[in-house]
Amino acid sequence: MSYQNGGSSSGGGYQPIESSTGSENGASASPGPNLKKWTIGAVAVVVLGLIGVSMAKPGSSHVAQSGAASSEISANGKMKLFDDLHRYVLEDYDAKPTFASFLPGVAGLYGKPVWSFYVNRGQGVASFGTKTKDFPMLEFNPANKAYQLTPFVGFRTFIKTVRGKRSLDYEPFAPSAARNLESADQEAEAEKPKRIMYVGTNEFEVREINADVGLTTSAKTIVLPEENFAALVRRVNFTNTGSDSLTLSALDGLAQMEPVGGKLDWGLKQMSRTLEGWFGVYHATDDLTMPFYRMSTEPSDEASVKIEEAGHYCLAFVDSEDKKADLLPIVYDTSKIFGQNTPLEVPQAFKVTTVSDIVANPQFGDAKTSSAFAALESVELAPGESITVTTFYGRADHVKEVPKIAKTVTKKGYASAKFERARSLINELTAGVETNTTSKLFDGAIKQMYLDNSLRGGMPHIIGDVDDDAKFSNFDEDERVKVFHAFSRIHGDLERDYNAFLIDDTFYSQGPGNYRDVAQNRREDVTLTPRIGAFNVKMFLSYIQADGYEPLTVEAVVYMITNPNVAATVSGLTTADPKSAETLTNILNGGPFRPGQLFNLIDQLNVTLSVDRESFLDQVVAEAQNIPMAVYGSGYWADHWEYYLDLIDSYLAIYPDGEETLMYDNELRYFFSTATVKPRSDKYVLSLTFDGKSHHVQQLDSTFFDDEKADEQEAFRNVNTGIIGIDAYWQRTEKGVAFKSSPIAKLFLLGAIKYATRDAWGMGVEYEGGRPGWNDAMNGLPGMVGSGMPETYEMYLLLKYVKKVVDKYDRAVVIPAELNKMVVSVNKALDKLEKSGYKDPEDLPFDVPEPLFEYWDVVASARENYRNDVQYYFSGNTTTIEASEMSDMIDRWLDQIELGMTRAIKFGSHGYMDDGTSGIPPSYFSYNVTKWTKNKGKNDVGLPLVNARAMKVGRFPLFLEGPVRQMKTIIDDKKKLQSLYKKVLTTGIRDDKLKMYLLSADLKGQSYDMGRMMAFAPGWLENQSVWMHMSYKYYLELIRGELFEEFFSEMKGGGMLPYMDPDVYGRSLMECSSFIASSHFPDPDTQGRGFSARLSGSTAEFLSIWKLMFIGPKPFFLDDNGDLKMQLIPALPEFFFKDDESGTDPTFDDDGNYVVSFKLFASIIVTYHNPTGSNMFRVKPSSYTVTMDDGETVKVDGPEIPTKLAKQIRKVYGVASIDVYF
């Protein structure tokens, strides 16, 4: 079923934003070649205004009834899903099921962001602030509380109107006046105000149309872009829709405004009344126009007292396009508005007085939580006339800064320009995936996916371009070229309230992210920005530790200039005076820095630059070292390494000629964490079973904080700054030198350790680091001595890749001597196993056979001995393994892995209505230690420690992750893929009602020991729900394996965004969720709804899907002679060329070919010319026409672009467009 219908429209809202080559309405100054009606603006957003998607929703109404603009109404009289500004439209938003989302917190490279979350209740904004939830202007609350509190403590508008003889007090968006879509009397409900929410990529708006009052009120919100101060900006518009004049006065603003005073989130939750003793409202001027909300000191009872100088401000004015605006007075004393109505439900004091009287009378802001309302005194609006109040809510380091900020924001046209820029900024940032098909839903979705993907993994920016040589080089070719990922953050939000997000309020803003999130969401960086080269591959491989694990948190890279003379030279070239040069030299010699920190310091220390900011940063980082940064966190996750091959594959699809150099001719360090993995003898714990009737062995507290490692790091603490130096986080030899290996050696080390970590049956990789794999809701699995097949499939692929590389280049690999010692022991154990003559019986027993158990025990001991050898240092000694020897060794290991994979299928899964005969690979196993001996040790709580002597394997129900990972190992066997796909369709991991795939089958009867997923209701969170990320991984493997019919059937069938039912999904079809409540959830009204918005790994999979659809799997390749060639072989469905359901007409070239277009490398417009408009699945082109920036064209016959031109395209040098003919 399709949700596309209707036609194009215009008008309403902001005017389209013009760009140099195009505009939002599709007009263009310079059409592309040979196109009749097709243009692509360089930075213009895809024309979602053409989307004719209609909502069949209860209570929807025609134009006259709703008051909506005619452009927002489809031919059938119902509101479209998207307006002309490409914003998702949610009609009667506060009468619909709740959802939470956020503004992206992107203020541009040279802007300082705030964070802001919104819900579909009240006026939307539920919380906002700077940096983290500890620094709110409006307190952070989890989603369930935000839905309740937002209409009362958030933004409010109180209006007094006089029309003729009728006077009225009125609050737009009040919950009491919301429509009830469940009411039997919908005619009566239609008399209530009409409310609409518009969700854009970098803005949102709420609108209320009140026919009875004759007033339409709208409130639009953005994060202030490209300024040296951070603010949330709100524009409230009042329009007189009546037939006669209206006199209006109003209070509009925030019912509760928190002050600045250190980290407040804990105090606001736990001791908010006591905390109010520090609260106060101060003023930058003698009037009420510049209140400053701060605490007197930071609240503590420590001997050291910190006086607070920073504060929050509120600046409001009536918008003016032709003159400087005057500030409005601010009402901050909550009691002057609400009186004694402490729930803030009714503005009792406002009702019995006037706005002028409130402003004229004294206000008090001490020892209580204050408000921030702009006071609009009496204005008269003629019929159709509007007035707009704009308010800035932000933070300043000192009250003296507020008048300067006020002078800036009240300039004529400033606010409207910033609202336009907020939209055009995001259009520019997402232009790299600009796509034009007849499916405008898809075209819009890919831009939103790219934005959200960048918020999770960071958006790469190239810096260090100091001359033409640098500008036309990539990260690997010129050491001056650097890569910095901006705008990233961990996915903490109202629904993911457990995560402590950080968004630096600096230029080049960024924050740390979870390892797996960043690794996955950077997968296609090199596809979209080829100049980053192997940056991500090198960075993530450097995080591999000696023990085969990785840290939990990835931070942005830092830069460091180690030569004082170089720092002085750069300072002299970029500053305007000797004093500035001296200060900058000291800054650069002071240690590592990020761009945002650097700009803050030069601002605080009054450094005057002689060049622009871009040139300054380029010159500084060009002379600096690039240093990756990470933090250990807690525990070692079993899946962090599984994303390396994806990064490598993406790199090789662009740089197939760079593989040998990357793998052999680079040296990478080893990350050094303060945690150590315990041997089995220290973590196999004898404890009581759940019922207390017997004992069992659990694997508990698998890691420990290693004091000796911490002491090692302490040696790098700077005595002047108290900061531990960055060299402390990289493992050294005993001589103090950082130990390094080639990437291929680190990959071999990783594969060898994972091979030595297989379980006793040789099937899954053990979760022996204390944490599970991707499915972290299986948190109890490590305690069950569990293992995972997903890791086995990834290990299999990793070792196959290492073998392929050593076979291809026939070069020896140098590994640490300690690793070689482990490998020798592992291979001797394998020799012994093979000599024992053991063969698997036809029917596998659950008890582990003794030869396999002995093999497991010896190999695990070898792994533990190796880790003991490298716990603190590498010796510095190495062993060289010839290519043929390594290849033969890996061949033996692969045979054993394949044997384990076969065993896993035989054991199968086991659960409710699952007898294990589905033929679908299981995901996880547990091991029950059936025999043990106590080893005289005890754990931290006094429980005895044991050594395992025998084991029995346990099984689990089906999980989607198993088949997804297995598909990667059979990707070149279409028959096997199709067979597996058909099997999955008939199992308990298919949700037939929603036409989607479940994370797990029915978990009924499973032990709570397996993890938190057992605590949830079926269909919720990780228990039998649709986890979009894993589902999209599944879809990705379908198209990667060229099951095109199956893939596009799933896409258009409603299993993928943006083709889901919007009424069921309950939020914008542009935005992924973490999970969808499945049809197994008890409440049918919740089934199909998306939860935990946007910052999902689904976006990484969607970008990879987009690449395979529009570019192909290997756009660059080496021919039989080793020469670089280029080819574009898309996989595009017919409905991208022509689709009657979409409401968008096909586009043709001058010869009548159907065309679709996209942007390659964020720069080059590629147009596919399809003679029939039919499916184009991996059809090779017949010719290309490449148009250069100077207008010259180069015609290429055949499916391949030759070497010289291919390299020029890859460098994105002088190429304007490529037309591809079939």
Coordinates of all heavy atoms in Angstrom, one line a residue, residues 242-290:
G242 N -10.1 37.4 11.9 CA -11.4 37.8 12.0 C -11.7 38.9 10.9 O -10.8 39.3 10.2
S243 N -13.0 39.3 10.9 CA -13.4 40.3 9.9 C -13.3 41.7 10.4 O -13.6 42.7 9.6 CB -14.8 40.0 9.4 OG -15.7 40.0 10.6
D244 N -12.9 42.0 11.6 CA -12.8 43.3 12.2 C -11.5 43.4 13.0 O -10.9 42.4 13.3 CB -14.0 43.7 12.9 CG -14.4 42.8 14.0 OD1 -13.7 41.7 14.2 OD2 -15.4 43.0 14.8
S245 N -11.2 44.6 13.5 CA -10.0 44.8 14.2 C -10.0 44.1 15.5 O -11.0 43.9 16.1 CB -9.7 46.3 14.4 OG -9.5 47.0 13.2
L246 N -8.7 43.7 15.9 CA -8.5 43.0 17.2 C -7.5 43.7 18.0 O -6.4 44.0 17.5 CB -8.1 41.6 16.9 CG -7.8 40.7 18.1 CD1 -9.0 40.3 18.9 CD2 -7.0 39.5 17.7
T247 N -7.8 44.0 19.3 CA -6.8 44.6 20.2 C -6.2 43.4 21.0 O -7.0 42.6 21.6 CB -7.4 45.7 21.1 OG1 -7.9 46.7 20.3 CG2 -6.3 46.2 22.0
L248 N -4.9 43.4 21.1 CA -4.3 42.2 21.7 C -3.1 42.6 22.6 O -2.4 43.5 22.3 CB -3.8 41.3 20.6 CG -3.0 40.0 20.9 CD1 -3.3 38.9 19.9 CD2 -1.5 40.3 20.9
S249 N -3.1 42.0 23.8 CA -1.9 42.1 24.6 C -1.6 40.6 25.0 O -2.5 39.8 25.1 CB -2.1 43.0 25.8 OG -3.2 42.5 26.6
A250 N -0.3 40.4 25.3 CA 0.1 38.9 25.5 C 1.3 38.8 26.4 O 2.2 39.7 26.4 CB 0.3 38.2 24.2
L251 N 1.4 37.7 27.0 CA 2.7 37.2 27.7 C 3.0 35.9 26.9 O 2.2 35.0 26.8 CB 2.5 37.0 29.1 CG 2.2 38.2 30.0 CD1 2.0 37.7 31.5 CD2 3.3 39.2 30.0
D252 N 4.3 35.9 26.5 CA 4.7 34.7 25.8 C 6.1 34.3 26.2 O 7.0 35.1 26.2 CB 4.7 34.9 24.3 CG 5.2 33.7 23.5 OD1 4.4 32.7 23.3 OD2 6.4 33.6 23.2
G253 N 6.3 33.0 26.6 CA 7.6 32.6 27.0 C 7.6 31.4 27.8 O 6.7 30.5 27.7
L254 N 8.6 31.3 28.7 CA 8.9 30.1 29.4 C 8.4 30.1 30.8 O 8.7 31.1 31.6 CB 10.4 29.9 29.4 CG 11.0 28.5 29.5 CD1 10.5 27.5 28.5 CD2 12.6 28.6 29.4
A255 N 7.6 29.1 31.2 CA 7.0 29.1 32.5 C 8.1 28.9 33.6 O 7.9 29.3 34.7 CB 5.9 28.1 32.6
Q256 N 9.1 28.1 33.3 CA 10.2 27.9 34.2 C 11.5 28.1 33.5 O 11.8 27.4 32.5 CB 10.1 26.5 34.9 CG 9.0 26.4 35.9 CD 9.1 25.1 36.7 OE1 9.9 24.2 36.4 NE2 8.3 25.0 37.8
M257 N 12.4 28.9 34.0 CA 13.7 29.2 33.5 C 14.7 28.9 34.5 O 14.7 29.5 35.6 CB 13.8 30.6 33.0 CG 15.2 31.0 32.5 SD 15.4 30.6 30.7 CE 16.5 31.8 30.2
E258 N 15.6 27.9 34.2 CA 16.6 27.5 35.2 C 17.8 28.5 35.1 O 18.1 29.0 34.0 CB 17.1 26.1 35.0 CG 16.0 25.1 35.0 CD 15.2 25.0 36.3 OE1 15.8 25.5 37.3 OE2 14.1 24.4 36.4
P259 N 18.5 28.7 36.2 CA 19.7 29.6 36.2 C 21.0 28.8 35.8 O 21.0 27.6 35.8 CB 19.7 30.1 37.6 CG 19.3 29.0 38.4 CD 18.2 28.3 37.6
V260 N 22.0 29.6 35.6 CA 23.4 28.9 35.5 C 23.9 28.8 37.0 O 23.8 29.7 37.8 CB 24.3 29.8 34.7 CG1 25.7 29.3 34.8 CG2 23.8 29.9 33.3
G261 N 24.6 27.6 37.2 CA 25.1 27.4 38.5 C 25.8 26.1 38.7 O 25.5 25.3 39.6
G262 N 26.6 25.7 37.7 CA 27.3 24.4 37.8 C 26.3 23.3 37.2 O 25.4 23.6 36.5
K263 N 26.7 22.1 37.6 CA 25.9 20.9 37.1 C 24.6 20.8 37.9 O 24.7 20.5 39.1 CB 26.7 19.7 37.2 CG 27.9 19.7 36.2 CD 28.7 18.3 36.3 CE 29.8 18.3 35.3 NZ 30.5 17.0 35.3
L264 N 23.5 21.0 37.3 CA 22.2 21.1 38.0 C 21.3 19.9 38.0 O 20.3 19.8 38.8 CB 21.4 22.4 37.5 CG 22.1 23.7 37.8 CD1 21.1 24.8 37.4 CD2 22.4 23.9 39.3
D265 N 21.5 19.0 37.0 CA 20.4 18.0 36.8 C 20.1 17.2 38.0 O 19.0 17.0 38.4 CB 20.8 17.1 35.6 CG 19.7 16.2 35.2 OD1 18.6 16.7 34.8 OD2 19.8 15.0 35.3
W266 N 21.2 16.7 38.7 CA 21.0 15.9 39.9 C 20.2 16.8 41.0 O 19.3 16.3 41.6 CB 22.3 15.4 40.5 CG 22.1 14.6 41.7 CD1 21.9 13.3 41.8 CD2 22.1 15.1 43.1 NE1 21.8 12.8 43.0 CE2 21.9 13.9 43.9 CE3 22.2 16.3 43.7 CZ2 21.8 14.0 45.3 CZ3 22.1 16.4 45.0 CH2 21.9 15.3 45.8
G267 N 20.7 18.0 41.2 CA 20.1 18.8 42.2 C 18.6 19.2 41.9 O 17.8 19.2 42.8
L268 N 18.3 19.4 40.6 CA 16.9 19.7 40.2 C 16.0 18.5 40.5 O 14.8 18.6 40.8 CB 16.8 20.1 38.7 CG 17.5 21.4 38.4 CD1 17.5 21.6 36.9 CD2 16.7 22.6 39.1
K269 N 16.6 17.3 40.4 CA 15.8 16.1 40.6 C 15.7 15.7 42.1 O 14.7 15.1 42.5 CB 16.4 14.9 39.8 CG 16.5 15.1 38.3 CD 15.2 15.1 37.6 CE 15.3 15.1 36.1 NZ 16.0 16.3 35.5
Q270 N 16.7 16.0 42.8 CA 16.8 15.4 44.2 C 16.7 16.5 45.3 O 16.2 16.1 46.4 CB 18.2 14.7 44.4 CG 18.5 13.6 43.4 CD 17.5 12.5 43.5 OE1 17.1 12.2 44.6 NE2 17.2 11.8 42.4
M271 N 17.0 17.7 45.1 CA 16.9 18.7 46.1 C 16.6 20.1 45.5 O 17.2 21.1 45.9 CB 18.2 18.8 46.9 CG 19.5 18.8 46.1 SD 21.0 19.1 47.1 CE 21.0 20.8 47.3
S272 N 15.6 20.1 44.7 CA 15.3 21.3 44.0 C 14.9 22.5 44.9 O 15.1 23.7 44.6 CB 14.2 21.1 42.9 OG 13.1 20.5 43.5
R273 N 14.1 22.2 45.9 CA 13.7 23.3 46.8 C 14.9 23.9 47.5 O 15.0 25.2 47.6 CB 12.7 22.8 47.9 CG 12.3 23.9 48.8 CD 11.5 25.0 48.1 NE 11.2 26.1 48.9 CZ 11.6 27.4 48.7 NH1 12.3 27.7 47.6 NH2 11.3 28.4 49.5
T274 N 15.8 23.1 48.0 CA 17.0 23.7 48.7 C 17.8 24.5 47.6 O 18.4 25.5 48.0 CB 17.9 22.5 49.3 OG1 17.1 21.8 50.2 CG2 19.1 23.1 49.9
L275 N 17.9 23.9 46.4 CA 18.7 24.6 45.4 C 18.2 26.0 45.1 O 19.0 26.9 44.7 CB 18.7 23.7 44.1 CG 19.8 23.8 43.1 CD1 21.1 23.3 43.8 CD2 19.5 22.9 41.9
E276 N 16.9 26.2 45.2 CA 16.4 27.5 44.9 C 17.0 28.6 45.8 O 16.9 29.8 45.4 CB 14.8 27.5 45.1 CG 14.1 26.8 43.9 CD 12.6 26.8 44.1 OE1 12.1 26.7 45.2 OE2 11.9 27.0 43.0
G277 N 17.5 28.2 46.9 CA 18.2 29.2 47.8 C 19.3 30.0 47.1 O 19.6 31.1 47.5
W278 N 19.9 29.4 46.1 CA 21.0 30.0 45.4 C 20.5 30.9 44.2 O 21.2 31.6 43.6 CB 22.0 29.0 44.9 CG 23.0 28.4 45.8 CD1 24.2 28.8 46.0 CD2 22.8 27.3 46.7 NE1 24.9 28.1 47.0 CE2 24.0 27.1 47.4 CE3 21.7 26.4 47.0 CZ2 24.2 26.1 48.3 CZ3 21.9 25.4 47.9 CH2 23.1 25.3 48.6
F279 N 19.2 30.6 43.8 CA 18.7 31.2 42.6 C 18.5 32.7 42.7 O 18.1 33.2 43.8 CB 17.3 30.6 42.3 CG 17.4 29.2 41.7 CD1 18.5 28.5 41.8 CD2 16.2 28.6 41.2 CE1 18.5 27.2 41.4 CE2 16.3 27.3 40.7 CZ 17.4 26.6 40.8
G280 N 18.7 33.4 41.6 CA 18.4 34.9 41.6 C 18.3 35.3 40.2 O 18.8 34.7 39.2
V281 N 17.6 36.5 40.0 CA 17.5 37.1 38.7 C 18.1 38.5 38.8 O 17.8 39.3 39.6 CB 16.0 37.3 38.2 CG1 15.9 37.9 36.9 CG2 15.3 35.9 38.2
Y282 N 19.1 38.7 37.9 CA 19.9 39.9 37.9 C 19.6 40.6 36.6 O 18.9 40.1 35.8 CB 21.4 39.6 38.1 CG 21.6 38.8 39.4 CD1 21.5 37.4 39.4 CD2 22.0 39.5 40.6 CE1 21.7 36.7 40.5 CE2 22.2 38.7 41.7 CZ 22.1 37.4 41.7 OH 22.3 36.6 42.8
H283 N 20.1 41.8 36.4 CA 19.8 42.6 35.2 C 21.0 43.3 34.6 O 21.8 43.8 35.4 CB 18.7 43.6 35.6 CG 17.4 43.0 36.1 ND1 16.4 42.5 35.3 CD2 17.0 42.7 37.4 CE1 15.4 42.0 36.0 NE2 15.8 42.1 37.3
A284 N 21.0 43.3 33.3 CA 22.1 44.0 32.6 C 21.8 45.5 32.5 O 22.7 46.3 32.3 CB 22.3 43.4 31.2
T285 N 20.5 45.9 32.6 CA 20.1 47.3 32.5 C 19.1 47.6 33.7 O 18.7 46.7 34.4 CB 19.5 47.6 31.2 OG1 18.4 46.8 31.0 CG2 20.5 47.4 30.0
D286 N 18.7 48.8 33.7 CA 17.8 49.2 34.8 C 16.4 48.9 34.5 O 15.5 48.9 35.4 CB 17.9 50.7 35.0 CG 19.3 51.1 35.6 OD1 19.9 50.3 36.3 OD2 19.7 52.3 35.4
D287 N 16.1 48.6 33.2 CA 14.7 48.2 32.9 C 14.6 46.7 33.0 O 15.5 46.0 33.5 CB 14.3 48.7 31.5 CG 15.2 48.2 30.4 OD1 16.0 47.2 30.7 OD2 15.3 48.8 29.4
L288 N 13.5 46.1 32.5 CA 13.2 44.7 32.6 C 13.5 43.9 31.3 O 13.1 42.8 31.2 CB 11.7 44.5 33.0 CG 11.3 45.1 34.3 CD1 9.8 44.9 34.5 CD2 12.0 44.5 35.5
T289 N 14.3 44.5 30.4 CA 14.5 43.9 29.1 C 15.6 42.9 29.0 O 15.7 42.2 28.1 CB 14.7 45.0 28.1 OG1 15.9 45.8 28.4 CG2 13.5 45.9 28.0
M290 N 16.5 42.9 30.0 CA 17.7 42.0 30.0 C 17.9 41.3 31.3 O 18.9 41.4 32.0 CB 18.9 42.8 29.6 CG 18.9 43.5 28.3 SD 20.5 44.3 27.9 CE 20.0 45.4 26.6

